Amino acid sequence: MILTLLSCSSKVDSNKDHLVFKYNEHKNIGSLDPAFSKDLADIWGTHQLFNGLVQMDNQLNVKPCIAKNWIVTDSARTYAFNLRKDVSFHKHNLFGKDSTRTVNALDFEYSFNRLRDKSVASPGSWVLNKVENFSAINDSTFQIKLKQPFPAFLGLLTMKYCSVVPKEIVEHYGSDFRSNPIGTGPFKFKRWEENIKLVFRRNNHYFETDENGNSLPYLEAVAITFLPDKQSEFLQFAQGNIDFVSGLDASYKDEILTANGQLRLLYKDNVNMIRGPYLNTEYLAFSMDSEVSEIQALKLRKAINKGFDRTKMMAYLRNGIGIPANGGFIPKGLPGFDTSISFSYEPEKAKQLVTEYKSETGNQNPEITLTTTSNYLSFCEFIQREIQKIGINVNVDVIPASSLKDAKANSQLDFFRASWIADYPDAENYLSLYYSKNFAPNGPNYTHFKSDIFDNVYEAAYLETDITKREQLYTKMDSLVMTYAPIVPLFYDEVVRFTRKEVSGLGINATNLLELKSVKKD
């Protein structure tokens, strides 16, 4: 009888194998608690398990989610969200008789208070910095009052930090909620062998349907592996063992793409490529607190910006995938982007700036160290070669991603590679990296750039409700940053996704969010 049961069980599993979406997460996942969804790997995981008041579609429009609608009053300072009454948490015996219960406004009140709780120490607590208070008016109405109008607020609420969580489950598990998540999402948590495999199963009681009224999600399960390098990940994809690869890595870019960014003939029958804009600026950053004299020299910072050909770099290293940084820090596609403030490739001007620096300081051999990770070594070596041609010696130091992340946050690096992916689709999110009150480690100002003029304009932009005027303020701030050159913009990334032909419904969006609820496998 046991053998028969095992046989039947394996038949069910194999029959549904085509409904399992498989992908690899080479960066690992640190937590499945949405209050700690800081990195893209964590966000992809928690997005399958949790929902918030609102959500963003692939065109970056804010749409209803658990909130079916909302009313904005008090000169755009008060938001009243009317909640759906058909949203339930994933089953757990702690809920009692029915093993589940309906989400209500008090759940959002608890979830937001938890986000603010200093003992929880959520990296997303800043999301509520502009909020004066919030409360459950009744079971189905949740109200938020802002300190002042903030045009991007609804976009902010789409972040996974703002997901609803059940108090009784969170308080039972404490910090172990990270590996025992209970949410409302299209998939529910099944099993996690850390660093090996993570499995989600279909939530049969999910509240959203497709345009024809069919239940979502279509998939039966999601299986995530954790191979640590992109080359191994791509090999698994090429062999058909995983369904999806995101991004373009040096280890396989020439294997799958031609020099002009098209799929090679070998893969055309089995693979689809999806490509689109990505709200991600890749850049090099200088620490404005550095004691290294070369870093403090504005002429050298400008010379580095002018001293290499970004278009050539993208063609050579990325097969044309990605947009050379022909503006400031704000990426192409967001209001405030402006090509007139960029550093163009001017090698002779760059050499002149270096010569002037040498003459003024007497330092005939300027030298700097650029810190990066192995994934971006090819970019840094390209820049190293080009910058040495204009008279600056560049040493490249390669360290693990986790070490760079910690050193960057604690201002221990003089010159380093970094990237900024939009938390929400508004240029204010990019400019927050240069607001002096956001100095790392308590905020994202990793360069420790400080300008009173910038701070004043940044604060004025909060209060500006006219879209055109706010856009002009954004451009002014970006121009100020480029004037002082605390950064070297490299390129504005593109989302590149490779899927097996049997996968359909996997869209693309400029925040690179992995949306699996509408995915099908044939």
Side-chain angles (χ1 to χ4, degrees):
M1 186 173 71
I2 290 171
L3 286 172
T4 304
L5 285 171
L6 287 171
S7 172
C8 291
S9 172
S10 82
K11 265 184 193 172
V12 171
D13 287 344
S14 62
N15 288 339
K16 292 188 177 182
D17 187 59
H18 70 288
L19 296 176
V20 180
F21 185 86
K22 303 167 187 172
Y23 78 92
N24 184 69
E25 185 46 77
H26 75 282
K27 289 186 177 178
N28 217 334
I29 289 176
S31 175
L32 292 172
D33 182 342
F36 293 87
S37 288
K38 182 178 182 181
D39 298 324
L40 194 62
D42 295 354
I43 291 169
W44 279 10
T46 55
H47 186 63
Q48 316 313 321
L49 304 174
F50 295 92
N51 299 101
L53 292 164
V54 290
Q55 59 188 331
M56 201 167 284
D57 66 14
N58 284 340
Q59 287 71 48
L60 305 185
N61 300 308
V62 175
K63 298 289 187 181
C65 191
I66 294 178
K68 58 186 179 181
N69 55 53
W70 53 91
I71 299 168
V72 184
T73 57
D74 187 25
S75 300
R77 283 194 292 265
T78 300
Y79 291 71
F81 295 92
N82 297 308
L83 309 185
R84 299 176 62 134
K85 297 178 181 178
D86 59 348
V87 181
S88 299
F89 287 112
H90 301 153
K91 288 196 172 187
H92 195 288
N93 56 20
L94 282 172
F95 286 126
K97 182 183 175 185
D98 297 325
S99 298
T100 186
R101 65 171 177 80
T102 304
V103 174
N104 60 55
L106 282 171
D107 292 313
F108 278 100
E109 188 175 299
Y110 170 76
S111 301
F112 279 41
N113 274 320
R114 180 172 179 258
L115 203 55
R116 275 185 166 174
D117 188 341
K118 286 183 170 56
S119 67
V120 173
S122 165
S125 59
W126 62 270
V127 170
L128 301 179
N129 284 351
K130 299 171 181 68
V131 173
E132 184 175 306
N133 60 60
F134 47 82
S135 60
I137 304 301
N138 52 47
D139 278 356
S140 59
T141 307
F142 183 63
Q143 180 177 276
I144 302 175
K145 289 189 176 183
L146 304 184
K147 297 172 184 174
Q148 59 194 38
F150 180 52
F153 182 61
L154 283 173
L156 205 61
L157 289 180
T158 66
M159 297 182 68
K160 297 321 294 180
Y161 292 133
C162 300
S163 301
V164 68
V165 295
K167 179 179 179 179
E168 53 266 69
I169 309 297
V170 174
E171 296 195 346
H172 172 76
Y173 284 111
S175 61
D176 286 337
F177 185 68
R178 65 175 287 280
S179 54
N180 294 275
I182 294 292
T184 58
F187 297 92
K188 58 187 179 181
F189 174 76
K190 179 67 176 177
R191 179 168 57 91
W192 188 10
E193 296 174 61
E194 295 200 35
N195 304 316
I196 300 173
K197 192 168 188 178
L198 173 61
V199 179
F200 302 146
R201 295 299 301 266
R202 184 180 193 272
N203 175 11
N204 293 321
H205 304 286
Y206 189 57
F207 60 94
E208 287 191 289
T209 58
D210 65 16
E211 61 275 10
N212 297 316
N214 298 313
S215 296
L216 294 175
Y218 304 121
L219 296 167
E220 185 64 29
V222 178
I224 307 165
T225 52
F226 297 98
L227 295 171
D229 67 280
K230 293 290 284 183
Q231 189 169 10
S232 300
E233 177 182 296
F234 179 75
L235 184 61
Q236 288 294 304
F237 175 73
Q239 293 173 347
N241 296 327
I242 59 176
D243 300 305
F244 159 78
V245 168
S246 176
L248 197 64
D249 191 74
S251 64
Y252 60 78
K253 70 178 182 67
D254 295 321
E255 163 70 17
I256 194 168
L257 293 183
T258 62
N260 62 353
Q262 301 300 310
L263 267 179
R264 289 195 181 277
L265 200 59
L266 177 64
Y267 291 95
K268 280 195 171 180
D269 290 341
N270 299 313
V271 173
N272 286 323
M273 181 174 78
I274 323 171
R275 176 178 171 183
Y278 187 11
L279 297 183
N280 173 28
T281 298
E282 297 283 345
Y283 66 104
L284 307 180
F286 299 100
S287 170
M288 303 303 281
D289 289 341
S290 174
E291 295 179 0
V292 176
S293 59
E294 288 91 340
I295 299 294
Q296 289 296 327
L298 177 59
K299 286 185 176 178
L300 290 191
R301 297 200 303 272
K302 286 188 172 183
I304 292 170
N305 267 289
K306 291 176 176 287
F308 67 101
D309 188 339
R310 291 167 172 82
T311 302
K312 179 182 173 184
M313 178 182 74
M314 296 308 291
Y316 176 54
L317 296 176
R318 291 273 299 216
N319 297 52
I321 303 291
I323 303 162
N326 58 349
F329 191 65
I330 299 171
K332 188 172 184 178
L334 277 184
F337 171 80
D338 190 339
T339 57
S340 70
I341 66 174
S342 68
F343 286 105
S344 55
Y345 176 48
E346 298 178 278
E348 295 308 315
K349 178 62 177 175
K351 288 177 184 176
Q352 181 186 332
L353 287 168
V354 174
T355 300
E356 290 173 7
Y357 166 82
K358 289 177 178 179
S359 176
E360 291 168 7
T361 64
N363 179 2
Q364 297 303 306
N365 295 295
E367 186 174 347
I368 56 174
T369 296
L370 171 57
T371 304
T372 185
T373 58
S374 58
N375 284 353
Y376 288 86
L377 179 58
S378 58
F379 284 94
C380 294
E381 287 180 336
F382 175 89
I383 293 165
Q384 177 189 43
R385 290 191 297 270
E386 297 300 300
I387 298 306
Q388 284 175 339
K389 292 175 187 176
I390 65 170
I392 302 174
N393 292 320
V394 179
N395 302 309
V396 177
D397 183 22
V398 180
I399 62 175
S402 57
S403 301
L404 190 144
K405 183 179 177 181
D406 290 341
K408 178 180 71 172
N410 292 291
S411 302
Q412 295 170 350
L413 301 173
D414 297 310
F415 187 32
F416 55 93
R417 191 216 67 85
S419 63
W420 186 258
I421 302 169
D423 293 312
Y424 48 94
D426 192 284
E428 180 273 337
N429 186 232
Y430 284 85
L431 297 166
S432 67
L433 272 72
Y434 306 99
Y435 185 46
S436 67
K437 293 182 181 177
N438 284 342
F439 271 22
N442 300 316
N445 187 342
Y446 301 113
T447 62
H448 283 201
F449 172 81
K450 188 179 190 320
S451 163
D452 291 339
I453 298 173
F454 181 96
D455 287 353
N456 291 336
V457 179
Y458 183 81
E459 289 166 3
Y462 276 153
L463 305 174
E464 184 54 70
T465 55
D466 183 282
I467 295 172
T468 303
K469 290 180 180 176
R470 191 166 73 252
E471 183 178 334
Q472 291 169 351
L473 292 176
Y474 288 164
T475 303
K476 183 177 181 179
M477 283 185 274
D478 207 10
S479 178
L480 268 170
V481 171
M482 298 306 290
T483 299
Y484 290 99
I487 57 163
V488 182
L490 301 179
F491 63 94
Y492 313 120
D493 210 352
E494 288 184 281
V495 179
V496 184
R497 293 179 169 181
F498 302 101
T499 64
R500 306 294 303 179
K501 284 284 188 183
E502 55 267 27
V503 173
S504 62
L506 182 69
I508 197 165
N509 54 77
T511 58
N512 199 18
L513 187 64
L514 185 62
E515 188 66 80
L516 296 179
K517 65 187 176 188
S518 299
V519 168
K520 294 180 179 179
K521 278 185 70 179
D522 298 327

